[in-house]
Amino acid sequence: DGRVLSMPPIINGDHSKVTLDTKNMLIECTATDLTKANIVLNTLVAMYSGYCEQPFVIEPVRVEYEDGTVHVTPDLTKATMETTNTLVNRGVGIGIAIEETIALCKKMQLEAEKVGEDGLYVTAPITRTDVLHPCDVIEDVAVAFGFNNVEERTPDCATEGQPFPINQLADMVRREGFSVKGYTEVLTWVTVSHDENFDSLQREDKGTTAVKLSNPKASEFQECRTALLPGILKTLRENRGAKLPLRLFEVGDVVLLDPESEVGARNRRHMAAVYASTSAGFEVMKDLLDHLMRVLGYPFEGEKFSLDPTSCTDNAFFPGRRANVVVNGQRVGVIGWIHPKVLGNYSLEFPCSALELDLESFL
């Protein structure tokens, strides 16, 4: 008819405005996330449908995309889950009959049916998108029952918290390993750019180690670090005007790809140190390494702890001034004089020696 319905996002047209007499309307929801769009759409149609000409009658819409994908909206499929009255009672800390549990679920807009002697089949309405797991049912029963009505009781067992072994070891290394040698701790970002992680260190990215972010907001946060060395070198770069020598260390997690892990990656605790000075030779970092090994229970270089310069191919370090750190026959880290090209990549004009070890190997 040539009538203007609306001019989004400026204003709705007079012809399409909603009044108390409106009985039919088209609800359109646009979003970049399909799941969130469905949640909003289901909530709106559920609320408005009660005022329709035919109450609670919703006409679906077939949406066809350019790639041929077809969606029929709204999707009014209700979420369902199974649990038991025993599990609900144990989770809340009460002891009520299954009939009372069903009544409490009804208070929270959940339809619950008795299955067998103790089972519950729970259905959540389309407006309760927060109900995803039986734990959510237990929480709703607790809310309906009333937290203040749950009887207080002493736990059946007493537990004492204690640090994880890796955290205890990390604290000991910070205190007795680095601090007593005059090193200052730094704390850097876990995310770095691809160049900082590989190219700037002259290391090859084989695609099997670094966890990459799919949509980084900045070039400095493209992937998770696979080593601590880039963060310390960046710290030196930002403080290159400070008086030499500079002694910096960091004890923190790196993130590595792991196909066997549930999430496809795993954290690994590392420790690293850099000595920056005009006299930053290999022997300075070797002295620190010997001290760290004594703290970790390897007092003398020999059968259990040794350096292997022959097998070391890490191009972040200068050839002939680098070595793999080997403990009990396994490589646990690297030590050496940082390559001049690497120093140039980080805008550093003074020599640096460094080491980096896998701390978890010493547990």
Side-chain angles (χ1 to χ4, degrees):
D1 296 334
R3 293 171 176 169
V4 177
L5 296 180
S6 66
M7 294 184 292
I10 305 172
I11 191 172
N12 289 327
D14 183 72
H15 178 70
S16 60
K17 67 181 180 182
V18 178
T19 68
L20 294 175
D21 298 325
T22 302
K23 298 299 180 183
N24 295 296
M25 67 172 61
L26 171 67
I27 298 177
E28 186 271 340
C29 181
T30 303
T32 57
D33 189 302
L34 182 60
T35 300
K36 294 178 181 178
N38 285 330
I39 291 174
V40 172
L41 181 61
N42 286 353
T43 303
L44 287 175
V45 298
M47 297 296 102
Y48 278 103
S49 61
Y51 303 96
C52 292
E53 185 176 356
Q54 299 180 41
F56 303 107
V57 174
I58 302 169
E59 297 182 9
V61 175
R62 177 186 173 92
V63 182
E64 297 183 2
Y65 293 90
E66 294 181 353
D67 60 358
T69 305
V70 177
H71 288 289
V72 177
T73 59
D75 182 6
L76 303 180
T77 304
K78 297 180 179 180
T80 60
M81 59 204 68
E82 296 181 0
T83 184
T84 63
N85 190 53
T86 300
L87 184 61
V88 171
N89 281 327
R90 186 186 303 123
V92 181
I94 55 178
I96 59 177
I98 191 171
E99 290 76 16
E100 187 175 354
T101 301
I102 294 175
L104 293 176
C105 287
K106 189 175 182 180
K107 283 185 177 182
M108 304 301 292
Q109 302 178 342
L110 302 179
E111 300 176 9
E113 299 178 6
K114 183 178 179 180
V115 179
E117 293 296 326
D118 192 53
L120 287 169
Y121 185 79
V122 182
T123 304
I126 59 174
T127 55
R128 289 298 310 277
T129 55
D130 59 310
V131 181
L132 305 172
H133 188 272
C135 289
D136 299 313
V137 177
I138 297 174
E139 181 185 6
D140 276 9
V141 171
V143 172
F145 185 83
F147 292 111
N148 292 334
N149 296 326
V150 178
E151 182 181 354
E152 296 183 6
R153 59 183 177 85
T154 304
D156 297 331
C157 60
T159 59
E160 295 181 1
Q162 61 181 3
F164 287 109
I166 184 61
N167 291 337
Q168 286 182 307
L169 182 61
D171 289 341
M172 182 187 71
V173 168
R174 288 187 181 99
R175 183 177 58 253
E176 301 179 18
F178 292 107
S179 296
V180 299
K181 298 292 285 186
Y183 281 74
T184 302
E185 185 174 14
V186 299
L187 183 63
T188 60
W189 295 106
V190 177
T191 50
V192 295
S193 69
H194 177 77
D195 288 342
E196 293 168 348
N197 218 10
F198 293 100
D199 296 343
S200 295
L201 294 176
Q202 301 190 121
R203 291 174 176 171
E204 181 184 358
D205 180 12
K206 299 181 180 180
T208 58
T209 54
V211 177
K212 303 182 185 299
L213 278 65
S214 61
N215 186 28
K217 298 301 181 183
S219 60
E220 292 186 352
F221 307 111
Q222 293 177 331
E223 56 193 41
C224 296
R225 65 186 181 187
T226 57
L228 300 181
L229 192 56
I232 302 180
L233 292 178
K234 287 169 62 179
T235 303
L236 280 175
R237 180 185 64 195
E238 301 305 321
N239 294 274
R240 57 183 179 270
K243 184 179 179 180
L244 297 178
L246 291 174
R247 301 176 177 87
L248 302 179
F249 82 92
E250 182 172 8
V251 179
D253 285 355
V254 300
V255 184
L256 306 173
L257 288 175
D258 184 3
E260 298 182 359
S261 172
E262 183 179 0
V263 296
R266 58 185 170 86
N267 286 19
R268 194 78 179 175
R269 190 69 54 87
H270 278 203
M271 59 179 177
V274 172
Y275 178 76
S277 173
T278 54
S279 60
F282 183 90
E283 66 281 357
V284 177
M285 201 50 56
K286 177 60 166 58
D287 175 69
L288 175 63
L289 176 63
D290 289 340
H291 175 73
L292 290 172
M293 298 306 292
R294 284 193 295 271
V295 171
L296 293 168
Y298 296 87
F300 300 105
E301 184 175 352
E303 182 179 351
K304 293 185 178 181
F305 154 53
S306 62
L307 297 181
D308 184 5
T310 305
S311 64
C312 185
T313 58
D314 192 339
N315 291 325
F317 297 89
F318 196 81
R321 294 292 184 272
R322 64 189 181 189
N324 287 329
V325 181
V326 180
V327 174
N328 293 326
Q330 295 184 348
R331 179 186 180 276
V332 298
V334 62
I335 181 176
W337 189 39
I338 298 180
H339 199 286
K341 288 185 178 180
V342 174
L343 296 177
N345 293 336
Y346 285 92
S347 303
L348 299 176
E349 300 177 351
F350 39 77
C352 296
S353 54
L355 64 81
E356 182 161 351
L357 303 177
D358 182 353
L359 188 58
E360 293 192 26
S361 300
F362 297 93
L363 284 177

